[in-house]
Amino acid sequence: MIDADEATLEAALLRKQLSQHNYLYYTQDNPSIPDVEYDRLLRRLQQIERAYPELQEIDSPTQRIGGEPLKEFKAVFHIAPMLSLDNAFDDEELVDFHHRVTERLKYQGKLSYVCEPKLDGVAVSLLYKNGILVRGGTRGDGLVGEDITDNVRTIHSVPLRLKTDTPPNLLEVRGEVYLPKIGFEKINHEARLNDEKIFVNPRNAAAGSLRQLDSKITASRPLEMSVYSLGKIEGQDCPATHIKTLKMLESWGFLVNPYTEVVEGINLCADYYLKIFEARDSLPYEIDGIVFKVNAFSYQQRLGSIAKAPRWAIARKFPAQEEITCLEAVEFQVGRTGAITPVARLKPVFVGGVTVSNASLHNQDEIRRLNIRIGDSVIVRRAGDVIPQIVKVILEKRPISAKEIIFPVRCPECDSLAIQVDGEATIRCSGGLVCSAQRKQAIKHFASRKAMDVDGLGEKLVDQLVDQELISSVDDLYRLDIDQLSKLERMGQKSAENLLSALEASKITTFPRFLYSLGIREIGDATSLSLAQHFKNLEALQDSSLEGLMNVSDVGPVAAGFIHRFFSQMENIEVVRKLLGIGICWPKSTLDKKKPLPLFGQIWVLTGGMEAMGRPEAKEKLQILGAKVAGSVSLNTDCVVVGAAAGSKLKKANELNIKVIDESTLMQLFRQNNLL
Ligand code: IVH
C-alpha cells in the first residue's frame, strides 16, 4: 500500500474522477467510460479508504453504497414549509387557475409559465452546507419530515458535493425521488422470485425503498431524483425566475427533468399538456400530470399561498391509471399449452383510458398472494399499453358473502384431468391435442401475425372451424375448400376466396416465422430468430442435442428442453412433415452467409408512423439483418428510425446524440440487402 501522502493525493483524484463519471452516467445519461472501469476506480478508492479511514469523507462516492442500519428515523424540521399542489382535472379548471392568477396580479397579456412533468414519486428536501450534502428529508406533514440522509446519499443523481467552486453557504432544494419503470419491474420480478412483497406501482416502490432503515437496501434500488424547486439559498443571490433557478441547479449537478419548458400564455400550457400526455407511455418513468408554475419569483411572492398549496402553481392531472372495481366472477381459460388460467370478470371500469372488464389472475400463487375472493373490491391498474392488472384487494371492503376461488380439478373444455407439474405454479389440462381449447389456441397462434400471418383467420373463425370439426390440426387449414368455408357463419363467397388466397400466400414464409408458428413452449419470436440464424435449416435444428441448443444465444436449459422434447415427439414431426409436404417453404436468405450480418449486435428503435410497411414488418427485416429492435431509446441504441409525427423518442435520440434516419433511408437499406 502507498504511504499516507500518496494516499491522500490519489484518493482526492479518484473522488473527483468518480463523481464526474457518476454525474455523466446518472445525471447526463452520457457515460464516458465503461462500467468495469468505473467499478475499478471505485474499488481502488474503497481500498485506500479502508487502509486510511481518516481519508473517508461524507461526500466520497464510496458513501453511496449505504451504511449501518438505523434504529429509527430522526425528525427533520423544514426550513420553509414543503407545500403541496392544487389540482386541475380539465382544461377549464386550468383556465380558471390562470384567471385567478392574472386577476390577483392585475396582469393583462401573456404570462410566462414553466411547465414540468409531474413525476409520480416521493417529495424530498436536500440540504447543502458550503456545497456538501448534509441532510435529506421526506416531506412528512410539510413542516416535519423524516431524516433519510443515509438513503438519499445512495441515489446517484443526487450530488454529494455541488459542482461549483463557489457554493452558497446554505442551499435547500426540493425534488421528487422516483423509480424508473424498468427499476420497478426489476424489483417486483426479484420480489416474486423470493416470495417477497410486491409493490403496487412505482410510487409505492420508491416510497418503500426510501423508507428503509437499512440504507444498503435503498442502495440496491435504482432510484433517481430530479429537482423542481428551491427551498432556501443563503450567501448568494437567488435568480429572478424559476427557470433560471432550475438552470442554476442543473449547472450545480442536479438532475432537472429534460422536458421542462417555459411557455407564454395558458393556451400553450394546454398544448404542452397534450404533447406530454401523448408521450407519457414512452417515458422511462411514470408521471401523473403536468405542473404549471408562474415563472417570475416577484409574481410568485405577490400571489402567495393558501393553506398547503401555492397560488402560483397548479397540477393538471392525467386521467387515473388505477381505479377500484368489483370482482364479479372468475372463469378458467385453457391456453395453447394447456395452462388453465383464472380470468377475473370485473364490473366494467374506466381506467388508463379504456373500459376494463377482464384481467388475468395468472395462477394459484397470484390468487394466494392477492388473497382475493369473488365479491371483493379490487384496485385495477392499467398503465400505458400494459394489460390491465389487479394489484390489490381492499380487504376492509370485503363483503361477508365473498367466495373463495376454487380451481377446477378437470379441464373446463374437455374434462381431462387438470394436473400441476412439480415446481410450477400453473395447472394444466392433461388432454393435449384431444382438448379442443388447446387445438384452437395452437391454430390461432399458427395463423397469427408474427407467425404465418394468415390474413382474415381470426379467433371466431378458428373456433367455428374446430367446433364444426372441419379442422383439427394446423395442416388441415391448407385442405379447406371454398364450399366448406362459404357455408360458415359470417362468411360469404368473397371472404372465403380471400381466406384461401391468404392461406396460399402464407405458404411462402421465413424460417424464423415457421419455427415460431409451431408454438413450442417458451419459444417466442426473438428466440425463433436466434435459432434460425444459428442452425440455418430445420434438419440441423431437429437433430441438435440439448447441449447444441443451449449454444444458441437466448436459449437456456428450460427452452432447450422444450425444443428437444418437441422434436422428439412423433406427432410433432408428423405435423411438420405434412406442412412442408403441403408446400410451406422459405426462400434461402439472400444474405451472403460468409459475411457477418450487417447490423449484428446493433440496437435499433422504430418510432412514428411508417408508410411503406407496418412496424412489425420493418422490425422483422431489421432482425433479419442482425439488429435487435427495442421499444425505447437508451444510451445503448445505435440508430432510431423516425416516421411521421415522431415525438419523445426522437427528442431523446437527439439529446443522446444517437444516429437518426428516416423511413426512405431505411427502405434503401432494405433494398441494398435484397429485402425489398
Ligand atoms: S412543485 C410548492 N413540481 O407533486 C410546489 N411538485 O401534488 C410544490 N411533484 O408534493 C411542489 N413533480 O411530490 C412540484 N415538477 C414538480 C413535481 C411535483 C412531482 C409532486 C411533489 C408534490 C406533489 C404535489
Side-chain angles (χ1 to χ4, degrees), residues 1 11 15 43-57 60-63:
M1 199 42 164
R15 268 200 290 273
R43 274 202 306 278
R44 175 69 185 153
L45 181 58
Q46 281 169 328
Q47 201 183 20
I48 297 177
E49 288 182 355
R50 261 197 305 274
Y52 297 97
E54 66 279 10
L55 291 180
Q56 213 171 60
E57 284 174 23
S60 171
T62 55
Q63 299 304 297

Side-chain angles (χ1 to χ4, degrees), residues 488-515:
L488 295 171
E489 240 176 75
R490 281 187 300 243
M491 188 50 112
Q493 177 82 14
K494 187 78 201 136
S495 330
E497 278 169 16
N498 287 346
L499 180 60
L500 285 180
S501 358
L503 278 162
E504 200 49 40
S506 74
K507 287 183 181 170
I508 297 178
T509 185
T510 64
F511 184 25
R513 272 176 180 269
F514 180 73
L515 267 182

